[in-house]
Amino acid sequence: MDLPADKRAAYRALVDAVLGGRGTATAEQRTRAFENTETDPALRPLLEKVATAPSRITDADFDRARAAGSSEDHLFEVVIAAAVGQSTRMYESALAALDEATAG
């Protein structure tokens, strides 16, 4: 199932801004958070929860990441990248399932 061009453009702009925009986290750090791969061990527990159990994130998760040296801005950027990445994977899986279900 193809997205209309304007929705594809909006999605691409979002991902480009999250991954390549200015910030305190490097583009590589944001990309790793987006892809849910090889993130900083100090951030791993928090970012894993973003991807798999966001309702279980607590202040203590952020406190541990800050105690390991992450700033508020850095945490914001990698958490958003992780959330957008997980949303992307879920959305693409849903579109693939819909395509499969409606294939002639």
Side-chain angles (χ1 to χ4, degrees), residues 15-34 38-40 43 47 70-71 73-79 81-82:
V15 171
D16 288 349
V18 167
L19 298 181
R22 290 183 5 206
T24 60
T26 67
E28 181 181 356
Q29 290 169 326
R30 285 179 269 154
T31 298
R32 287 180 176 182
F34 181 91
E38 302 177 36
T39 55
D40 178 341
L43 297 176
L47 298 182
S70 290
S71 69
D73 288 342
H74 184 265
L75 287 175
F76 176 80
E77 292 165 18
V78 295
V79 165

Side-chain angles (χ1 to χ4, degrees), residues 17-63:
V18 167
L19 298 181
R22 290 183 5 206
T24 60
T26 67
E28 181 181 356
Q29 290 169 326
R30 285 179 269 154
T31 298
R32 287 180 176 182
F34 181 91
E35 294 172 349
N36 197 25
T37 58
E38 302 177 36
T39 55
D40 178 341
L43 297 176
R44 189 89 207 100
L46 172 62
L47 298 182
E48 187 64 30
K49 282 185 180 180
V50 170
T52 62
S55 65
R56 300 181 101 162
I57 296 170
T58 67
D59 289 340
D61 295 310
F62 284 96
D63 292 342

